[in-house]
Structure formats: structure tokens, C-alpha cells
Amino acid sequence: MADLLSATEYAALAAQLRLPTQAFIDGAFRASMSGATFVTTNPATGEVLTEIAACNAADVDLTVARAKAAFEDGRWRNLAPSRRKSILLKFADLLEQHAHELATMESLDSGKPIRECQNTDVPETIHTIRWHAELIDKIYDNTAPVGASALALVVREPIGVVGLVLPWNFPLLMLAWKIGPSLAAGCSIVVKPAKETTLTALRVAELAYEAGVPAGVFNVLPGSGKDVGEPLGRHADVDMVSFTGSTETGRRFLQYASESNLKRVVLECGGKNPAVVLRDVENLDTVAQHVVSGAFWNMGENCSASSRLIVHADIKDELLQRIGVHLREWKMGNPLDPENRLGAMVSKAHFEKVREYLTHAAAERMCVPFGGNTEGEIFVQPTVVDEVAQSSRLFQEEIFGPVLSVTTFTDLDEAIALANDSIYGLAASVYTSNLNHAVRLSREIRAGVVTVNCFGEGDVTTPFGGYKQSGFGGRDKSQWAHDQYTEIKTIWIDVPLASA
């Protein structure tokens, strides 16, 4: 991956970008059928970036028809696995060649720090595509042990036309998590990016077509949830929807499926994730580094963010002091300056949502040892709120911003109860030097991903998804992600035995 540029170089690159403005349908950019557009802005500056085609149900009907035709004639699914793999590897190579462009576009559109886009999002996007491409010719079907009188084959087949509905917090990476296994399986896809962050999905689709993904296989429809997401969720020729976003919106896709063709729905939704720190940890400074990263990476706009620090009462004060030291390293400002680790909230509407929690903390006279303020009308300081009660909104609700609540415990059972006191169950972190405690907490905390003595989500080889209201129907990443984009078919062949 290319090295970081300077702030001046990124600004120059941003000024020269060719921004996509139309939907990508059947291998070409097209205006919306209504001719409508919407404005997309740089959240950090308020600058208008461009106007993008605003699609609606008519565009969904057209695109799904083209995607279905591409699936049924087999132009992609019937290619030899080695050929699909070769095309996707070429696709990854093209993404790498355009790494600076994609990182800059992502930062401009989302307010994310360029250092995160360049060092994490873009390289992980490329790695994800390559990993799933390489898996294409390495997943074997099965035979069943049915005896000599029959041959029973258990085979996977691509599910068909898939709607991929993306969030705005990791536009490129969440796109990769979904297109990697769905394209590898042989599906045709219709991507609905978040309205706030549309640009990179359009550019990626163009590069996929350039790499050799056939027309009609990879389509992108910009627009609102009502105008594009709902028609996609209700469409009778869409065989599956994979959605990442809020739990509230995820519920709607289950409703759309139940009221239409009972399409498969896979949901990755919200989280209110605990970081549990036991008294026996060996290095509080390392713990503080992980907690700060887990809480404030991507401005806390992360469904797996460590937003609840559940710490033993005896070590809380020292841990908070060390957290304060590490917070000094997290500079906030212009997202295109690689010196900054914190950028803007994705939109003014989301900024107001996060600021309301800061207002609530102030009104309740809660202890705020770090942060607590906003800068301008789009930046929120990394904020730590101490002595947060279990019943508090800050303990229970997903803020999706740079706000860490701190709650203490005195014994292991209390720590587990606090960690599990949530409607969500996406991720958790455990910090301890006692192996028995690590195993017990990892087993008893109800979350889809539990890390021990670190913050993270595993890597592309490990499944990602949650318990309870954090998820439904499947997992992103790993070989398990391929299962949700395929149907399992039994083929039973009668084999008459020779006469005695």
C-alpha cells in the first residue's frame, strides 16, 4: 500500500478528483430515470462536492431486471471458478492502483481521517477482495454417506440477485465485506450505499467492470432509504438482502421480506460494547491505549466501538489518568491532514444527535474528566463520562460518537451482569492476566466477537456479527460469509445395484 501523502498533497489530489455523479447500472453510468439528483457535501467543511443521481423504485425495477438477466444467462455464475477468481484478483489490483484516489474520496465524503482511510480502510478493502477471490476454488461441496444404491451430492449454488445495503461509517470496507463473498459465490448484486457516502461505491463498481466483472452483475443505486432501500427490500426478484446499519432500519428489512417474497435477510446492526477491565491486569498503560482506540477510532462512529468501560473500582482512577495521557495523541481537525486522528461527524444531523448526549450529561451534572464539548458545528471532542449508572441513557443507548461511559464493579459476577445488560451483543473486550477469568468472561459475555487484552474485530478469516438485537441471519467476513450468499441443494442419484 502506498505511503501517506502530506496534507498539501492530499488537498491537491482532492481538487483534481473526478467524482462519479450517476448510478452504475448494467455496466454503465446512468442518470436516474426521473432526472432527480441530491447534493453530497464534505461534512468537515460544508463544501458541496457534487450532485448525484437520486434513484427511486423505477430505477430499482430496471436494475433488478438487468441483474436478474445477468444471473439467469450465467455470464458470471457459470464462469469457471478459476476465471472468476482471476477477474476479482485483477479487480483488487485496480483498487490498489487507485488507493490514494479512493482514500481521498472516502475522506472527503465521510469526514473520516485520511490516515485511517489510507492505512486501514483502503488496504483492508483490497485484502478482503483478494481473500474471498482466493477462496472461490477452495470451498468443496460434499457427498453424503448413503450407501451403494445411491449417490447423494450436497452442493452450493449462488442465491441469485442480492441487495447490499451499506452504512455510512465504513463505506469502502463494508462494501468489500459484502461484495467479496457475494461476487465470489456467483451472485448478481445491487448495492445501495448510504446517501451520505455514495462516491466510493460508484467508483469501485466502475473499477470492477474494468477488471472484467460482466455488465449487470455489479450495480450501484444512490438514493434514500425510502426511495431505493425499501423498494429493494420489497422486490420480488431480489433473493436476498444483506444490511448493515441501525437496528431500527434492520427491523424494516425483516418486515419488507415478510410482506413480499420471504427473501433471505442478513442483518448486522447496532452495538453498545463493553470493555471489561479486571483488577489483575498487568499493564494498565497498554489497556488505556486499547480502550482509547476502541472508544474513539473513527470518531466512535463504529458499531463495535468500546463505548462502555466497565472497570474494577480499585483501579479506575489510575486507568482514567492513563486514558487522559493517551488522549493527547488524538488530534482532531481537518480530515485531509494525516496528523489528525479524529475527523468530523458524518453530517450535521448526526452531530446534533451526538451533541444531545453531551447536553444530557451536563444537565445531569455527570462527571466529565475529558472532553464534553464540540468544536464548530461538526466536530465532537473525545469525551469520557465517569460514574455512569447502569440505568443511564449513556450506559444503555448506542451513541455512535466519541463518548465513553465509565462504570465500576467489585466482583466478577457483577462485571458479567453489567456487560450483558444491553439489548445488543455485537462485541466486547476483556482485560485480565488470569487465564481462568479470561475464559469465563469470553464464554459468558453474550457477544459475537470477544477480544482478550486488546480491542479489535479479528481479521478477514474470522466471522463478524452479533447476538440479540445486533444481528440476524448470518455473519460477515470469513468462509462463513459465503454460506449466506448460497443455497444448499441435495442431488440424489439412484444407482441400481447389479443383479446377483
Side-chain angles (χ1 to χ4, degrees), residues 340-362:
N340 292 325
R341 300 181 71 173
L342 291 159
M345 296 287 96
V346 72
S347 66
K348 288 191 175 181
H350 188 62
F351 167 83
E352 292 296 339
K353 174 182 179 291
V354 175
R355 181 162 67 174
E356 197 277 329
Y357 284 96
L358 303 184
T359 302
H360 172 76

Side-chain angles (χ1 to χ4, degrees), residues 33 192 245 258 281 366 375 389 404 440 449:
M33 294 179 71
K192 191 271 179 213
S258 72
V281 291
M366 303 176 86
E375 297 182 14
L404 173 66
R440 183 184 173 198
V449 177

Side-chain angles (χ1 to χ4, degrees), residues 33-294:
M33 294 179 71
S34 69
T37 62
F38 64 90
V39 171
T40 189
T41 62
N42 178 344
T45 65
E47 173 193 4
V48 173
L49 295 173
T50 190
E51 293 188 15
I52 298 176
C55 296
N56 60 25
D59 300 286
V60 172
D61 288 341
L62 169 68
T63 306
V64 171
R66 300 294 175 86
K68 182 179 179 181
F71 183 78
E72 291 186 343
D73 68 25
R75 69 188 71 166
W76 178 246
R77 66 182 172 95
N78 286 343
L79 289 181
S82 60
R83 180 62 182 145
R84 288 206 311 275
K85 180 174 78 170
S86 176
I87 290 171
L88 291 184
L89 290 174
K90 181 179 178 182
F91 172 36
D93 289 343
L94 285 174
L95 293 173
E96 189 161 29
Q97 291 172 27
H98 294 270
H100 284 311
E101 172 195 350
L102 290 168
T104 304
M105 195 179 292
E106 187 93 324
S107 181
L108 287 173
D109 206 20
S110 67
K112 293 166 65 77
I114 190 67
R115 62 184 290 157
E116 294 295 341
C117 297
Q118 192 81 68
N119 288 338
T120 303
D121 294 30
V122 172
E124 282 300 311
T125 293
I126 295 163
H127 177 56
T128 297
I129 299 301
R130 286 190 174 131
W131 193 86
H132 286 291
E134 289 289 356
L135 201 60
I136 290 174
D137 57 5
K138 299 174 182 65
I139 296 180
Y140 287 78
D141 291 326
N142 302 97
T143 61
V146 296
S149 62
L151 176 64
L153 307 178
V154 182
V155 300
R156 296 176 181 84
E157 295 181 349
I159 195 168
V161 177
V162 175
L164 304 176
V165 183
L166 306 180
W168 46 253
N169 59 333
F170 290 95
L172 269 174
L173 193 50
M174 297 302 97
L175 175 67
W177 282 14
K178 296 183 188 301
I179 66 175
S182 58
L183 290 175
C187 299
S188 292
I189 61 175
V190 181
V191 177
K192 191 271 179 213
K195 192 174 180 181
E196 295 89 343
T197 52
T198 297
L199 295 175
T200 49
L202 292 167
R203 182 66 174 121
V204 166
E206 183 181 23
L207 292 172
Y209 181 67
E210 183 181 337
V213 176
V217 172
F218 189 159
N219 310 277
V220 179
L221 292 180
S224 69
K226 179 176 178 56
D227 290 335
V228 177
E230 181 174 349
L232 198 59
R234 292 186 180 277
H235 205 289
D237 288 330
V238 173
D239 300 290
M240 174 197 167
V241 167
S242 178
F243 167 82
T244 297
S246 71
T247 299
E248 177 186 4
T249 304
R251 292 178 189 275
R252 294 178 192 156
F253 279 97
L254 294 177
Q255 177 185 344
Y256 302 154
S258 72
E259 293 174 353
S260 57
N261 62 339
L262 287 179
K263 61 178 61 63
R264 183 181 302 174
V265 177
V266 175
L267 305 178
E268 195 274 283
C269 299
K272 189 68 177 175
N273 312 292
V276 181
V277 184
L278 303 191
R279 182 170 50 183
D280 59 25
V281 291
E282 293 180 347
N283 190 326
L284 268 183
D285 194 63
T286 299
V287 173
Q289 284 183 294
H290 283 296
V291 169
V292 168
S293 180

Side-chain angles (χ1 to χ4, degrees), residues 393-467:
R393 291 180 58 198
L394 273 70
F395 186 94
Q396 296 290 342
E397 298 177 13
E398 184 180 38
I399 299 172
F400 223 64
V403 181
L404 173 66
S405 68
V406 181
T407 305
T408 58
F409 67 91
T410 55
D411 64 64
L412 208 59
D413 289 337
E414 184 184 8
I416 293 168
L418 286 168
N420 285 331
D421 185 20
S422 173
I423 63 172
Y424 302 110
L426 185 57
S429 299
V430 173
Y431 299 90
T432 177
S433 61
N434 184 303
L435 179 61
N436 291 334
H437 292 164
V439 172
R440 183 184 173 198
L441 284 162
S442 298
R443 292 290 192 180
E444 294 197 25
I445 292 176
R446 293 185 53 76
V449 177
V450 180
T451 58
V452 177
N453 293 328
C454 63
F455 165 76
E457 298 172 351
D459 64 14
V460 70
T461 69
T462 58
F464 181 82
Y467 290 19

